[in-house]
Amino acid sequence: MQQQQLTDLLRFIKNTDSDQSDLAATVLKLAADSITLDTLRSLTGSDKSLSAVSGKKEVSEEEKTGTLSFTKKELESMPKSFQKAFIYDNRIVKFRYYQGLFQARYRRQGYNIEVASKDFDTMKKKFIEKLIGQAEIQDIPVADPKRRTAKTVLFADYAKDWLKLKEQTTKPSTFKEYSRMFEVNLRPTFGHLHLSEITRPLIQQYLVTFVEAEKYRTAEKLKLMLNCIFDMAAEDFNLPSPMKKIVLPYHESKKGSALTKDKEKKLVEYCRNRKDDVASALLVLLYFGLRQSELPSLKIIDGNTLECETSKERMGRNITLSYIPFSPMFEKMQDLVDFEKAKNVNVYTLRSAFKRLFPEHHPHELRYTFITRCKECGVSGEVVMLWDGHSGDKDVKTSAVDRGYTDYSQEYLIKEAQKIDYIL
């Protein structure tokens, strides 16, 4: 029963002629003095609220904002591309109730739709009509439901993609270290998270734990890896990199130092007594300044020169060979060295043995010792750089010119090597 009908009924009851002496009329007239539209509505079985009867929509606070949900029938009326977008990409359209109107707006991928209506269902119908209308007049690509996004891609999966690229652009030893750090450090912490879930504070706190444990080098390596991964993700998904503003406390790495001559003498005696692959390798590192990773490439040329591949070269670059003549110091120890054993030594066994002998040193400091002795004995700085495989030295003037345009003769290099002779 509509409001006007209810109002007319009340007016009729109140104006009933009392002279009719009809019992029913008397009762109705008495009731009319206190009856209201709401009680009459309940008596007549109407299920509409007073606000509905008056033609005005009452909207609760919960109903004033939200997102549109579409029925299966409504979705089927949309372009297929949008059906996929709303179903698979979980795309949402927000609405609000403001100044007596339901309002919805959608501005994405070239679409600009704004609708409003006093009635919610009418507003939603208008939205669908405008959506269909704009889709018909413009060819705007809509995301494939299978398209990867920062919200759907797990860090573990994306990092694996990054590692596949690194495998093609870095040396096997470098790639092996990247893979190890991913499996040991990054996967357990971030592997289960989507890219969009990894925030700057989360990464910052993670790296700080390594700093607090005084694992500064590990923190720096992990920061470098995460920088590379999220730089690529930022390009792929238009995702702000969480690595921006990530900072690590300043830490000055501990610099190695050459062995004193007393320690060098102790090492020689150790090797003389041991006479195995570790002893051979240690003496080669000491008297030729090789890196441990260069040992497998060593060769002996003409019985008086060691050749090795410089391990610092990047993947894809031409291999650089270093040629280091035997020095008088090495010739004194030559009978203790088996080059084949040194070439095939287990580097972990070598490191363990050296650390037991000199806990405060690292095997790489044998390289420092060789370079130091060369300079102490007066060997040309340019020649030392040729032997140690460095591409340049800012402290040696004109080094780039000298090394770029000068080819030292073998006789000259042997003459320089003869300077390396001292007493332990």
Side-chain angles (χ1 to χ4, degrees):
M1 184 175 288
Q2 301 300 319
Q3 181 189 10
Q4 188 58 48
Q5 293 173 310
L6 292 170
T7 303
D8 292 342
L9 177 58
L10 283 172
R11 186 181 297 113
F12 169 77
I13 294 172
K14 289 182 178 181
N15 293 331
T16 299
D17 187 359
S18 60
D19 292 337
Q20 293 179 3
S21 301
D22 186 272
L23 180 60
T26 302
V27 172
L28 288 173
K29 192 168 184 178
L30 289 172
D33 292 336
S34 60
I35 199 167
T36 64
L37 282 175
D38 281 342
T39 54
L40 189 56
R41 172 192 55 76
S42 63
L43 290 172
T44 56
S46 174
D47 60 353
K48 293 185 179 180
S49 67
L50 179 59
S51 61
V53 171
S54 64
K56 294 183 179 179
K57 172 73 176 178
E58 275 193 2
V59 181
S60 66
E61 288 299 320
E62 293 78 8
E63 296 174 314
K64 287 187 177 181
T65 59
T67 58
L68 296 183
S69 59
F70 300 100
T71 65
K72 183 178 180 182
K73 185 177 180 180
E74 289 169 337
L75 286 169
E76 289 175 349
S77 69
M78 297 180 186
K80 288 186 177 180
S81 58
F82 271 90
Q83 293 179 32
K84 294 176 181 179
F86 285 118
I87 296 172
Y88 297 109
D89 281 359
N90 196 28
R91 190 168 299 167
I92 62 173
V93 179
K94 293 185 177 181
F95 74 87
R96 67 172 182 170
Y97 182 78
Y98 181 67
Q99 294 185 345
L101 294 175
F102 287 98
Q103 304 170 354
R105 175 184 294 176
Y106 182 85
R107 290 180 178 176
R108 295 180 70 175
Q109 295 185 308
Y111 285 82
N112 186 2
I113 301 172
E114 289 189 48
V115 294
S117 176
K118 293 181 179 180
D119 180 69
F120 179 83
D121 292 333
T122 303
M123 178 270 294
K124 190 161 70 165
K125 183 179 179 181
K126 284 183 177 181
F127 177 84
I128 296 173
E129 289 174 351
K130 278 202 172 185
L131 178 66
I132 295 171
Q134 288 196 21
E136 290 176 349
I137 63 174
Q138 58 187 355
D139 182 20
I140 299 176
V142 177
D144 186 328
K146 296 181 181 179
R147 180 177 64 89
R148 301 197 312 168
T149 69
K151 292 182 179 180
T152 62
V153 176
L154 291 174
F155 175 85
D157 295 333
Y158 195 76
K160 286 180 182 178
D161 292 342
W162 178 78
L163 283 170
K164 287 178 183 177
L165 293 176
K166 299 306 290 183
E167 187 174 16
Q168 300 172 35
T169 58
T170 58
K171 294 185 299 183
S173 58
T174 304
F175 172 73
K176 183 178 180 181
E177 178 63 7
Y178 281 142
S179 298
R180 185 193 68 79
M181 297 192 75
F182 169 69
E183 294 295 339
V184 174
N185 301 112
L186 297 181
R187 183 203 282 273
T189 305
F190 302 113
H192 63 289
L193 298 174
H194 295 108
L195 291 173
S196 61
E197 296 178 296
I198 301 175
T199 61
R200 184 197 61 77
L202 185 64
I203 294 176
Q204 180 72 74
Q205 184 55 44
Y206 171 68
L207 295 177
V208 166
T209 60
F210 290 95
V211 174
E212 291 174 345
E214 298 186 356
K215 297 179 179 179
Y216 304 104
R217 184 61 178 157
T218 300
E220 291 169 357
K221 288 182 178 180
L222 290 171
K223 182 185 176 185
L224 175 63
M225 282 186 68
L226 289 168
N227 262 324
C228 294
I229 292 170
F230 280 105
D231 279 350
M232 192 168 76
E235 292 292 328
D236 288 350
F237 303 118
N238 193 27
L239 174 74
S241 174
M243 295 304 296
K244 288 184 177 180
K245 306 296 183 181
I246 292 288
V247 294
L248 293 178
Y250 175 76
H251 170 69
E252 188 169 339
S253 299
K254 181 181 178 182
K255 183 182 178 297
S257 59
L259 300 184
T260 64
K261 288 185 177 179
D262 285 341
K263 289 182 178 179
E264 183 180 342
K265 183 177 181 180
K266 179 179 177 180
L267 177 61
V268 169
E269 290 302 316
Y270 172 82
C271 293
R272 194 185 302 278
N273 294 327
R274 183 156 178 159
K275 293 182 180 179
D276 60 2
D277 55 348
V278 169
S280 294
L282 287 173
L283 290 173
V284 169
L285 295 178
L286 175 62
Y287 290 114
F288 292 95
L290 270 60
R291 302 176 179 90
Q292 294 170 74
S293 57
E294 294 168 346
L295 285 171
S297 69
L298 69 83
K299 295 179 182 178
I300 302 303
I301 308 297
D302 298 331
N304 64 359
T305 301
L306 182 146
E307 173 194 283
C308 73
E309 296 178 5
T310 302
S311 64
K312 280 295 184 181
E313 292 299 326
R314 295 179 180 273
M315 185 177 181
R317 306 286 178 87
N318 293 332
I319 294 174
T320 299
L321 299 176
S322 293
Y323 296 92
I324 309 168
F326 289 7
S327 68
M329 285 305 296
F330 172 71
E331 290 172 347
K332 295 175 185 177
M333 314 296 170
Q334 188 170 356
D335 62 325
L336 303 176
V337 176
D338 184 321
F339 286 106
E340 281 302 311
K341 287 183 178 180
K343 184 175 181 177
N344 297 297
V345 70
N346 184 307
V347 294
Y348 297 104
T349 303
L350 183 150
R351 292 174 193 171
S352 177
F354 185 80
K355 291 295 284 185
R356 284 197 299 271
L357 189 63
F358 301 114
E360 70 280 14
H361 289 283
H362 186 277
H364 190 70
E365 291 169 79
L366 294 175
R367 179 174 170 83
Y368 289 24
T369 305
F370 171 74
I371 294 173
T372 299
R373 298 287 186 267
C374 286
K375 293 183 177 181
E376 287 176 345
C377 293
V379 178
S380 164
E382 294 292 340
V383 171
V384 175
M385 284 195 295
L386 281 176
W387 290 345
D388 64 30
H390 284 160
S391 59
D393 188 334
K394 66 181 181 180
D395 294 325
V396 180
K397 294 181 179 179
T398 70
S399 63
V401 174
D402 288 348
R403 290 183 2 89
Y405 294 90
T406 303
D407 291 321
Y408 295 106
S409 67
Q410 183 65 11
E411 291 77 15
Y412 176 75
L413 296 177
I414 290 175
K415 182 180 177 181
E416 288 297 296
Q418 290 304 306
K419 296 178 180 179
I420 309 173
D421 189 5
Y422 50 89
I423 298 173
L424 290 179

